[in-house]
Amino acid sequence: MIEQKSLDNQIIKSRILYYDFLANLFLYELLEQKQEVLVKQVELLGQYPLDEINENDFKNMHAKLMGDFGLIVAQYTKIFSLPFSLDGKSCVSLYLSHYKEGCNGGESLVQVKRSLKENSFYLNKNFSKENEDHLGILCLFMKQLLQDDKIIEANKVYQEYIFPMKEPIISGMRQFEECDFYLNVANIFEVFCILEDSICGLI
């Protein structure tokens, strides 16, 4: 019984670290500020990857983080911010309502705002102007829920808000083959979501 409780605690700690890590990668305001934090997170997570197939992803990310960080920010902008690119690729939306309603700010946003309010999560609009159904914001929300030991609530947030958009976001990132840093992110995010699918009873 004690061993199972210890294992459960380790899983929760791992989920918290990964959600913080992903928030730093998917939320522009954090990405700009978190180069040193990302280096430390990649070094730590790279020692204990969720799957051995991600070992090279962490190594490649570490090398790029130690280089020109501006190139990583430029990749983020190209994939997630520009309305279109010169090669005709559409940017990848990070908003749940885009995938569920086909437009930003739909009913999904209303539902997410309700969930945040019910769990006392307040988005500082001076920090980020993103809508609450943005993947980066949802990762921060998941982090807080897990830290507050609200496991059932966290699993519900993943099931209802992150699960529906994980595949199109991952496949969208992979269209930008020249953005090698975020190809590594896509691989890691995919493996992490497989774990989350299992934990949340989706597979």
Side-chain angles (χ1 to χ4, degrees):
M1 188 64 153
I2 295 176
E3 290 182 359
Q4 183 60 48
K5 185 175 181 180
S6 176
L7 177 60
D8 291 343
N9 288 336
Q10 289 301 316
I11 291 173
I12 292 170
K13 289 178 181 178
S14 177
R15 294 176 76 190
I16 290 169
L17 179 56
Y18 264 94
Y19 276 114
D20 186 63
F21 174 59
L22 292 169
N24 292 336
L25 293 167
F26 286 122
L27 200 58
Y28 184 82
E29 292 86 349
L30 288 178
L31 178 66
E32 279 194 310
Q33 305 169 13
K34 298 285 187 170
Q35 181 179 7
E36 292 184 6
V37 172
L38 281 167
V39 169
K40 292 177 181 178
Q41 289 180 328
V42 165
E43 289 174 347
L44 176 60
L45 294 172
Q47 294 179 41
Y48 310 99
L50 297 174
D51 193 297
E52 62 182 16
I53 63 174
N54 288 146
E55 289 182 10
N56 285 332
D57 292 307
F58 282 114
K59 289 178 182 177
N60 293 339
M61 288 178 71
H62 187 268
K64 296 179 184 78
L65 284 164
M66 299 302 290
D68 185 352
F69 191 67
L71 295 177
I72 294 173
V73 176
Q75 287 189 23
Y76 180 101
T77 301
K78 183 172 185 178
I79 298 171
F80 303 116
S81 299
L82 295 180
F84 58 88
S85 59
L86 295 177
D87 50 15
K89 297 172 185 172
S90 298
C91 76
V92 179
S93 176
L94 294 172
Y95 301 95
L96 176 64
S97 52
H98 170 85
Y99 297 105
K100 297 196 77 172
E101 280 89 45
C103 63
N104 288 349
E107 177 61 26
S108 295
L109 176 58
V110 175
Q111 294 175 1
V112 171
K113 284 184 174 182
R114 186 181 303 121
S115 295
L116 267 60
K117 184 177 180 180
E118 289 173 351
N119 289 282
S120 301
F121 182 93
Y122 302 102
L123 179 60
N124 183 351
K125 287 298 185 179
N126 291 324
F127 160 68
S128 176
K129 305 299 183 185
E130 299 291 359
N131 287 342
E132 287 82 351
D133 65 338
H134 184 281
L135 177 59
I137 302 298
L138 290 170
C139 287
L140 291 177
F141 185 33
M142 285 292 295
K143 174 187 170 184
Q144 176 179 299
L145 289 172
L146 292 166
Q147 286 176 327
D148 292 344
D149 205 28
K150 294 183 177 180
I151 310 304
I152 294 175
E153 292 87 344
N155 292 351
K156 183 178 179 181
V157 167
Y158 177 82
Q159 292 169 340
E160 296 185 357
Y161 304 147
I162 297 178
F163 179 78
M165 58 176 171
K166 58 158 184 153
E167 290 186 7
I169 288 175
I170 292 167
S171 61
M173 283 193 283
R174 286 178 172 155
Q175 291 180 32
F176 293 83
E177 297 178 1
E178 69 281 12
C179 296
D180 48 1
F181 181 84
Y182 272 92
L183 289 180
N184 297 136
V185 174
N187 294 339
I188 292 168
F189 183 44
E190 181 177 45
V191 170
F192 177 67
C193 284
I194 291 172
L195 173 65
E196 289 291 271
D197 290 350
S198 176
I199 289 172
C200 298
L202 294 169
I203 57 173

